[in-house]
Amino acid sequence: MSQFLVFGHQNPDTDAIASSYGWAYLERTAFGRDAEAVALGTPNEETVFVLDYFGVEALRVVESAKAEGVDKVILTDHNEFQQSISDIREVEIAAVIDHHRVANFETANPLYMRVEPVGSASSIVYRAFKENNVEVPKEVAGLLLSGLISDTLLLKSPTTHETDPQVAKELAEIAGVNLEEYGLAMLKAGTNLSSKSAEELIDIDAKSFELNGNNVRVAQVNTVDIDEVLDRQAEIEEAIRASQEANGYSDFVLMITDILNSNSEILALGANRDKVEAAFNFKLENNHAFLEGAVSRKKQVVPQLTESFNG
């Protein structure tokens, strides 16, 4: 039985898996603590590509820390409780490694908290390896590189920090890959949406946010053809409405991102349509609108929604 469970957010993306895998390795190697990286959901197709490429087994999926007999957890790539493990309020949070906003967060005990405005949680983990003079194994470097590529869309997203290109260069060298070639192949692996049901599609990469008393779900899918996704609008909207009813979401915002042209279409349903329109200064037609140059949920969608809902 491990002393610590290390995990990213629900519906884990590549950065959530990579940063937890890397931090658990660092816990064991540098700090001498028994830590296991686990996942709060099955990996998406992009992450499966990454794990297969670097020969890493998928992390064990858990639903409750207490059920695992663990009282201490470490969070990576998130800190908001509604995005975390089901019994997060019943365990001690020993550390947080994140690159998002801090919200709805309090603990009974002091903790190690490292939150930096960089492109990925994986970037932070890599710097921690260097600070502690721990050699990064090839497979760990591959995962951390992949987490950075995923969250910054191969360093093209506005979330890319000025230090991230150097981090990517160093990790690519350790992992033994060509950054551009590998990065594009990895991103394309995550755009095969035709095999996904509408229910799966809206849950591939989705997070819940409490915005001025409203439970707002913001999801994102990456594609190379926005129209191909919009062709399925009727079934997608049906799945969204079912999810809203089942989970009490006041609003559901789906960000359909074209990874080649760096634009997005926003599909939105819910009680606060006017606030969504005000957030982006556009008009929803047939429940969707084009958002030029938007590729980052963290920087180009959630802050705007937060301001609008609080306004």
Side-chain angles (χ1 to χ4, degrees):
M1 184 186 300
S2 299
Q3 183 181 3
F4 297 92
L5 289 183
V6 186
F7 48 78
H9 50 76
Q10 297 172 19
N11 299 317
D13 56 13
T14 301
D15 190 35
I17 296 295
S19 58
S20 56
Y21 186 89
W23 193 265
Y25 182 92
L26 191 64
E27 284 284 335
R28 297 190 299 269
T29 307
F31 311 138
R33 292 192 282 263
D34 184 14
E36 179 190 3
V38 295
L40 304 188
T42 55
N44 59 37
E45 289 185 346
E46 177 189 276
T47 310
V48 168
F49 172 89
V50 171
L51 295 172
D52 288 347
Y53 192 98
F54 291 104
V56 176
E57 290 188 12
L59 301 185
R60 192 165 62 88
V61 176
V62 302
E63 297 181 357
S64 162
K66 286 288 190 180
E68 299 293 323
V70 175
D71 295 319
K72 296 181 180 181
V73 300
I74 296 172
L75 314 185
T76 71
D77 200 32
H78 76 295
N79 66 78
E80 299 188 45
F81 283 10
Q82 67 268 29
Q83 299 172 7
S84 198
I85 201 162
S86 61
D87 54 353
I88 187 64
R89 297 183 186 277
E90 301 173 36
V91 294
E92 179 181 346
I93 301 172
V96 173
I97 314 300
D98 195 15
H99 67 128
H100 295 94
R101 72 174 193 172
V102 177
N104 309 318
F105 188 90
E106 62 179 40
T107 62
N109 300 309
L111 74 161
Y112 178 82
M113 193 166 189
R114 185 163 179 171
V115 181
E116 301 179 17
V118 294
S120 68
S122 294
S123 304
I124 303 171
V125 175
Y126 174 61
R127 282 202 292 276
F129 268 83
K130 296 182 71 174
E131 292 162 5
N132 288 278
N133 297 313
V134 175
E135 183 177 350
V136 187
K138 179 178 180 179
E139 71 277 7
V140 175
L143 263 64
L144 295 179
L145 173 65
S146 302
L148 175 55
I149 290 171
S150 179
D151 267 24
T152 63
L153 291 181
L154 195 49
L155 306 174
K156 295 177 181 177
S157 168
T159 58
T160 305
H161 189 263
E162 61 185 11
T163 62
D164 285 327
Q166 182 61 31
V167 168
K169 179 182 177 181
E170 293 177 14
L171 285 171
E173 184 175 347
I174 299 169
V177 299
N178 177 283
L179 176 60
E180 293 293 328
E181 292 177 2
Y182 170 76
L184 189 57
M186 188 201 93
L187 291 175
K188 284 186 175 180
T191 64
N192 180 20
L193 305 176
S194 59
S195 62
K196 302 290 185 184
S197 68
E199 290 78 11
E200 290 172 325
L201 188 148
I202 66 170
D203 206 40
I204 291 173
D205 183 6
K207 294 181 179 180
S208 300
F209 299 89
E210 184 182 330
L211 304 181
N212 197 21
N214 296 277
N215 187 9
V216 181
R217 188 74 161 172
V218 184
Q220 183 174 22
V221 294
N222 291 335
T223 183
V224 294
D225 188 350
I226 288 177
D227 288 338
E228 187 177 271
V229 179
L230 288 178
D231 285 344
R232 302 175 61 186
Q233 183 175 347
E235 62 173 309
I236 290 172
E237 289 190 0
E238 183 178 352
I240 287 175
R241 291 189 178 96
S243 180
Q244 286 178 292
E245 183 175 350
N247 299 286
Y249 303 133
S250 65
D251 299 86
F252 199 113
V253 177
L254 175 62
M255 188 178 182
I256 307 166
T257 300
D258 180 345
I259 64 169
L260 297 182
N261 298 302
S262 299
N263 297 306
S264 290
E265 192 81 14
I266 300 295
L267 175 62
L269 298 176
N272 296 284
R273 180 188 180 98
D274 58 329
K275 295 186 184 301
V276 174
E277 291 180 329
F280 307 112
N281 193 29
F282 62 27
K283 183 72 175 176
L284 291 166
E285 299 288 347
N286 189 24
N287 297 326
H288 64 89
F290 184 69
L291 197 57
E292 185 176 2
V295 296
S296 170
R297 173 176 53 196
K298 182 181 76 173
K299 200 162 189 175
Q300 295 173 298
V301 172
V302 173
Q304 290 79 358
L305 287 172
T306 301
E307 182 178 358
S308 182
F309 272 74
N310 288 335

